[in-house]
Amino acid sequence: MKNFKTTSNRRQWLALTAAACAAFSFGAQAQSTWPTKPVTLVVPFPAGGGTDTFARPFSAQFSKQSGKTLVIDNRGGAGGNLGAGVAAKAAPDGYTLFMGAVHHSIAPAMYPKLDYDLERDFVPLAMVASVPHVLVVNPKNVPGDFKAFMQMVRNNPGKFNYGSAGGGTSHHLAGELFKLQSKTFITHIPYRGAGPALQDLIAGNVDMMFDGLGSSAQHIKGGRIKALMVSGNKRNPSFPDVPCAAELGMPDYNVTTWYGLWAPKGTPADVQARIIEEVRKAAVSDDIKTSWANSGAEFPNVTGTQFGSFVTGEIKKWAAVVKASGAKLD
């Protein structure tokens, strides 16, 4: 009987060991083979805006290094909240990602009812890019010199307007913060994304924008719009001729647009790790380095829980700005 029990126990142990090895092997294989099909990247603004500007080269690099296509799905509307809601409801299997921006940390203070919660419905993966805001104008509508521009705006309250990517976006709040600090009144014109707003700025249908440098860069270089000021206390190395806010007597005007990557809540931890790995790998590629430099951007290398903590801080910061400026949806 003793030998029978020993033999039986040994067989059970061998069976359990074999099962454990098989499970480990399957898990390792699942991790190493992801992605096995194309991945969708939901971009909550139309083509031509800042989020799209960074999403497209990132998508191309991701596809090159992973061997599977990262398909961009532009879902513009409601200041970027429509696309966020779509992504939040996607299956948490690693095959739907979300490229959001600073706008989504502003939204809770601007929109009383959202059909998603950035912190509850998503897992933070990585900050992909960070750029300063820039005041850009159509020089046919207003002076291309900051001092002359300020004099004209102050002498004509409400006559001039600025376009934004939509109510509650960083473009909107950057404009309201500028008005608050400069004691001016400029009319806000919301669009369904920075791309359409920029096209109307180039056409002269709006006078100015407080835009993320990433989406304005190519138009500044092409001479279609004029940059009067970059936010913060230092000039941007990609645009050394554009004075910073501190130089122009606005030391507290510091607005930065950042872009980040999230996955729906419940996405497996090993897949999250792989995505972060792909982001870091993409960031050091020559193509991304060149593209980011041309846009005046940097890769902050803030990932996972560190990125999540940063977003929590941004939500609190922008809630205070909304309250102080009295910003409302138009």
Side-chain angles (χ1 to χ4, degrees):
M1 191 70 169
K2 184 177 180 180
N3 289 338
F4 173 78
K5 286 183 178 180
T6 303
T7 302
S8 177
N9 289 341
R10 185 179 297 135
R11 284 174 179 169
Q12 289 178 358
W13 181 83
L14 289 171
L16 288 171
T17 302
C21 288
F24 176 82
S25 175
F26 176 79
Q29 183 181 22
Q31 181 175 355
S32 63
T33 57
W34 183 93
T36 60
K37 60 181 180 179
V39 180
T40 296
L41 178 62
V42 177
V43 174
F45 293 102
T51 313
D52 190 75
T53 296
F54 290 103
R56 290 192 180 275
F58 172 75
S59 170
Q61 183 61 33
F62 177 96
S63 300
K64 183 191 300 184
Q65 63 195 34
S66 71
K68 295 296 178 182
T69 305
L70 184 61
V71 182
I72 291 180
D73 181 8
N74 291 101
R75 296 289 189 102
N81 293 310
L82 190 152
V86 170
K89 297 173 181 65
D93 56 7
Y95 289 96
T96 299
L97 304 178
F98 174 61
M99 178 80 91
V102 59
H103 318 299
H104 297 93
S105 66
I106 298 170
M110 291 293 297
Y111 289 81
K113 292 181 180 180
L114 292 172
D115 64 349
Y116 73 95
D117 185 300
L118 190 62
E119 296 183 286
R120 183 193 64 217
D121 298 330
F122 291 97
V123 288
L125 298 174
M127 195 187 305
V128 174
S130 176
V131 292
H133 261 253
V134 61
L135 167 58
V136 286
V137 302
N138 184 312
K140 294 179 181 178
N141 292 12
V142 297
D145 170 76
F146 185 79
K147 186 177 180 180
F149 162 81
M150 287 299 295
Q151 184 175 353
M152 181 173 284
V153 169
R154 285 196 170 115
N155 290 342
N156 298 277
K159 178 180 178 181
F160 298 100
N161 55 51
Y162 74 96
S164 82
T169 62
S170 63
H171 306 80
H172 178 199
L173 268 294
E176 294 305 302
L177 189 62
F178 179 87
K179 289 158 60 175
L180 183 70
Q181 293 186 4
S182 64
K183 297 180 173 56
T184 56
F185 177 64
I186 309 165
T187 304
H188 175 222
I189 309 293
Y191 286 79
R192 288 176 61 86
L198 273 169
Q199 291 306 313
D200 260 13
L201 175 64
I202 292 167
N205 297 325
V206 291
D207 302 313
M208 70 196 79
M209 277 186 71
F210 300 87
D211 191 28
L213 187 54
S215 47
S216 282
Q218 61 174 318
H219 303 298
I220 297 169
K221 291 176 179 177
R224 291 177 286 276
I225 54 178
K226 171 79 173 177
L228 300 189
M229 176 186 74
V230 65
S231 70
N233 58 9
K234 63 180 181 180
R235 297 193 179 200
N236 187 276
S238 298
F239 295 86
D241 296 333
V242 181
C244 67
E247 292 177 69
L248 298 172
M250 299 184 68
D252 297 325
Y253 189 74
N254 191 355
V255 184
T256 300
T257 290
W258 49 264
Y259 304 92
L261 199 65
W262 285 263
K265 195 80 170 182
T267 299
D270 63 322
V271 175
Q272 293 179 41
R274 279 296 311 279
I275 296 168
I276 292 172
E277 179 187 338
E278 293 295 338
V279 171
R280 286 177 168 155
K281 194 187 300 182
V284 297
S285 69
D286 290 340
D287 288 348
I288 293 296
K289 283 181 176 179
T290 300
S291 180
W292 269 219
N294 288 338
S295 298
E298 61 179 23
F299 172 67
N301 196 21
V302 177
T303 61
T305 55
Q306 186 183 6
F307 179 40
S309 297
F310 171 81
V311 172
T312 298
E314 286 287 279
I315 290 171
K316 292 177 181 177
K317 180 185 86 172
W318 285 110
V321 172
V322 169
K323 185 176 180 180
S325 66
K328 300 182 185 303
L329 295 175
D330 296 281

